[in-house]
Amino acid sequence: MLDGFLALYIFMLAAFTGYEIIARVPVILHTPLMSGSNFIHGIVLVGAMIALGHARTPFEMAIGFIGVLLGAGNAAGGYVVTERMLEMFKSSKPGKGRGEAK
Amino acid sequence: MAWIQTLIDASYFLAALLFILGLKRMSSPRTARGGIVWAGFGMLLAVVATLLLPDLAHRVLIIVAVLIGVAAAWWSGRRVAMTAMPQMVALYNGMGGGAAAAIGASELVSHVQDLAALNGVAVSDNGSLLHAAAAIAPLSPVALVLGVLGALIGSVSFSGSLIAFAKLQGWLDRRFVFPGQRVVNMLVLAAAVVIGVMLATGHLTLALICAFFVLALLFGLLMTLPIGGADMPVVISLYNAFTGLAVAFEGFVLHNEAMIIAGMVVGAAGTLLTQLMAKAMNRSLGNVLFGNFGAAAGASAQAIGGSQKPIEAADAAVMMAYAERVVIVPGYGMAVAQAQHKVWEFAQLLIARGVKVKFAIHPVAGRMPGHMNVLLAEAGVPYDLIADMEDINPEFPATDVALVIGANDVVNPMAKTDPSSPIYGMPILDVAEAKQAIVVKRGKGTGFAGIENALFYADNARMLYGDGQAAAGQLVSELKSLDG
């Protein structure tokens, strides 16, 4: 399904989406956002799983295994770190922040 | 079995949607917490869907690897102190880059085997060639190019992020500079690109693939080593964008739309975020990467007149206790010493005495933009006492005492006065404008960027030597003894 120009369109639209989402973000959120986007490219785990799942030789399996290990680390670590950071933001402004959040 | 494929495709679509919505929510303080949860659901969905793929082999091995990776990262991510967050982001980002590179490597290696198999078939029996080709389906030319490109970017991000991690963790001290470094770096990159082009145009051998990855990893290493610690946040953010791109390219190779969309969104968002960060530090990206931070620092060893004048904790406490306005300027040093709780206790005592206290935060205080806000929030400092640089700078002349604790380069007046200084032009907090500045500092050495600070020698500055935690503790007890 994904060949030639169709993929190019997806690349382009996704790039604009990312750009637009981040534009005009307050400075205090830069670190959590970096961490959050770090988590999102943890989707590489899925690719590594597919690569390992299609491996035919021990060598390919070894590469794939390392890939899955690293990808899983990216996803899990990225989630935990981001979640911890954002949790702190909530508790920091008990009056104002919580009222707005709900 | 068509319905399973549909279910999987739908899951990927939903995952991509959740990623975008999650990121959108994360870009506003009010909804940020929900955002990561949404994105987390997307990830879970995509991973489970992948396990359902009908032609997937080695399922047990996959699950084992996922469990090990998740357990290790979860454990380390839970355990790490808030101050160490930036390097953990670097570490996890590097792992993502490594995973993308591994996908590229695995695809290239299997492509080599496909070609060998095809050649073998062509020699033995022409009739079955078509059949074999259809079954094996080697990579298309575009997929090959993008796969190689993704592997290159992913490898650079992997080794570069690990160096960034080691530097922020304090395992690798200072910059690593040697003459002709830029030329060597460019040569390594050029060699990697040349081999990459050979791979992408079908000159595939196992030896070339190995050489390609070694060179790509080496380039990431060499590129990051000379960059000073103060610039690391920008670099980490850049590698974050790199990994996103690599993931998108490998997603194309694997025909996985969720990877393409998530990777590309992060690639673009990360690039913009990198620019925003560089701007906050008044440094261009090119300057950071191929920068003259090191070169200029050597030339600008400009002599600073005067001497550092020490002050005792008791005197400092009295000075602030009877001041009208006190501005506290925290820096990374405070966070390292875990002094934020003591500092906040001290500030509360001052407030109880009727002193107007504010915290002034430089855009790049800490190790990343926003990092210091997170750390102060952790200590319980209310949001409305924390002021940004633009808001607080006009107030310094009317401030009686500015207490600098663990900050250095962001209060260095040489950024304004000395054009040869490597930090010249960086916006700073005008602490020197306050009637009195008290600097809590461990010793007489230079700061994180290795630059002398003219503030420490100013007539209105007093040095309170000591560890941030201990000094804040002393200030608290002196203040308490004032009240009897």
Side-chain angles (χ1 to χ4, degrees):
Chain A
M1 145 195 188
L2 255 184
D3 266 324
F5 277 97
L6 191 52
L8 210 57
Y9 281 117
I10 294 188
F11 276 123
M12 178 188 73
L13 292 174
F16 272 109
T17 308
Y19 199 88
E20 283 303 317
I21 286 176
I22 297 297
R24 284 191 295 280
V25 164
V27 172
I28 55 162
L29 277 175
H30 280 184
T31 298
L33 253 181
M34 177 151 117
S35 178
S37 56
N38 177 40
F39 162 67
I40 285 174
H41 68 52
I43 186 72
V44 70
L45 168 60
V46 163
M49 288 167 70
I50 295 173
L52 175 55
H54 292 170
R56 285 164 298 179
T57 61
F59 183 50
E60 276 179 58
M61 277 168 68
I63 300 175
F65 190 80
I66 295 172
V68 174
L69 268 186
L70 293 174
N74 182 182
Y79 184 86
V80 170
V81 167
T82 312
E83 212 256 338
R84 278 184 61 189
M85 259 187 233
L86 292 176
E87 194 164 0
M88 225 149 264
F89 268 89
K90 192 182 173 191
S91 66
S92 73
K93 0 172 187 170
K96 201 168 63 175
R98 197 159 294 165
E100 284 170 358
K102 296 284 156 167
Chain B
M1 293 305 266
W3 63 272
I4 284 203
Q5 192 58 50
T6 309
L7 187 72
I8 294 169
D9 286 340
S11 304
Y12 283 153
F13 178 80
L14 206 57
L17 184 67
L18 283 170
F19 288 153
I20 293 175
L21 288 177
L23 198 61
K24 176 79 195 157
R25 292 178 79 83
M26 269 186 262
S27 63
S28 157
R30 287 182 297 134
T31 53
R33 264 201 94 212
I36 183 67
V37 177
W38 286 37
F41 269 118
M43 190 69 71
L44 206 61
L45 198 63
V47 169
V48 171
T50 306
L51 277 176
L52 295 178
L53 278 174
D55 59 340
L56 206 70
H58 315 303
R59 276 205 177 81
V60 177
L61 203 59
I62 292 175
I63 293 174
V64 168
V66 169
L67 288 182
I68 296 175
V70 166
W74 199 277
W75 181 76
S76 61
R78 277 267 154 236
R79 244 178 102 256
V80 71
M82 242 18 231
T83 43
M85 281 300 165
Q87 54 262 48
M88 292 316 280
V89 173
L91 181 65
Y92 298 138
N93 175 54
M95 293 171 92
I103 295 171
S106 146
E107 288 300 315
L108 286 175
V109 169
S110 87
H111 190 66
V112 172
Q113 285 158 358
D114 288 346
L115 291 181
L118 277 182
N119 286 338
V121 170
V123 171
S124 63
D125 176 11
N126 258 339
S128 66
L129 174 62
L130 277 177
H131 179 71
I136 294 175
L139 301 173
S140 72
V142 180
L144 201 52
V145 170
L146 286 184
V148 169
L149 202 57
L152 175 68
I153 300 172
S155 302
V156 170
S157 172
F158 176 65
S159 57
S161 295
L162 290 190
I163 295 294
F165 167 78
K167 282 200 171 198
L168 289 179
Q169 188 76 4
W171 293 352
L172 256 181
D173 271 11
R174 298 287 143 163
R175 300 181 310 271
F176 172 82
V177 193
F178 58 85
Q181 191 164 26
R182 226 177 287 181
V183 180
V184 172
N185 288 5
M186 283 305 123
L187 283 178
V188 172
L189 178 63
V193 169
V194 166
I195 296 184
V197 169
M198 287 173 71
L199 292 179
T201 49
H203 299 271
L204 281 157
T205 65
L206 221 47
L208 270 185
I209 294 176
C210 288
F212 172 71
F213 279 100
V214 168
L215 285 169
L217 291 171
L218 186 65
F219 178 70
L221 213 79
L222 289 173
M223 181 170 146
T224 321
L225 276 172
I227 299 174
D231 283 334
M232 265 321 149
V234 181
V235 175
I236 295 173
S237 177
L238 181 72
Y239 287 148
N240 187 37
F242 272 17
T243 304
L245 272 185
V247 171
F249 291 162
E250 298 305 338
F252 180 87
V253 177
L254 295 172
H255 299 285
N256 187 304
E257 293 83 3
M259 278 174 75
I260 297 182
I261 292 172
M264 209 60 208
V265 165
V266 172
T271 306
L272 181 58
L273 209 52
T274 309
Q275 284 170 351
L276 290 176
M277 283 190 187
K279 210 154 126 201
M281 302 171 72
N282 195 32
R283 315 249 299 133
S284 76
L285 197 53
N287 211 341
V288 169
L289 291 182
F290 314 105
N292 34 34
F293 222 84
S300 81
Q302 182 190 23
I304 302 174
S307 58
Q308 299 189 5
K309 294 164 279 291
I311 188 172
E312 293 300 319
D315 299 330
V318 170
M319 204 183 274
M320 283 183 272
Y322 293 102
E324 201 169 312
R325 285 168 191 277
V326 170
V327 173
I328 300 176
V329 181
Y332 188 69
M334 177 197 76
V336 169
Q338 287 295 318
Q340 58 266 45
H341 298 276
K342 275 285 171 207
V343 169
W344 173 226
E345 190 186 344
F346 178 66
Q348 280 173 305
L349 286 172
L350 286 179
I351 293 169
R353 296 183 64 95
V355 181
K356 291 198 180 80
V357 179
K358 273 190 186 171
F359 288 84
I361 299 199
H362 190 271
V364 294
R367 290 278 164 93
M368 285 187 192
H371 190 201
M372 191 54 63
N373 301 68
V374 175
L375 294 171
L376 286 181
E378 186 193 14
V381 178
Y383 198 62
D384 49 351
L385 289 189
I386 301 175
D388 288 340
M389 184 174 66
E390 293 81 26
D391 299 330
I392 199 79
N393 263 347
E395 294 186 22
F396 273 114
T399 299
D400 299 300
V401 181
L403 176 67
V404 179
I405 175 157
N408 188 342
D409 297 321
V410 297
V411 295
N412 191 344
M414 291 172 91
K416 282 186 161 175
T417 58
D418 181 2
S420 66
S421 171
I423 57 167
Y424 183 70
M426 182 173 89
I428 58 158
L429 288 162
D430 294 325
V431 171
E433 305 276 310
K435 287 172 190 142
Q436 189 77 48
I438 296 173
V439 181
V440 177
K441 200 166 174 302
R442 222 190 252 277
K444 293 193 178 182
T446 54
F448 195 47
I451 304 159
E452 274 290 355
N453 192 334
L455 173 71
F456 303 163
Y457 299 89
D459 288 334
N460 60 343
R462 294 291 179 272
M463 307 299 290
L464 179 56
Y465 293 115
D467 171 73
Q469 166 104 0
Q474 279 174 346
L475 287 175
V476 167
S477 54
E478 293 293 345
L479 208 54
K480 280 184 177 157
S481 69
L482 270 184
D483 299 326

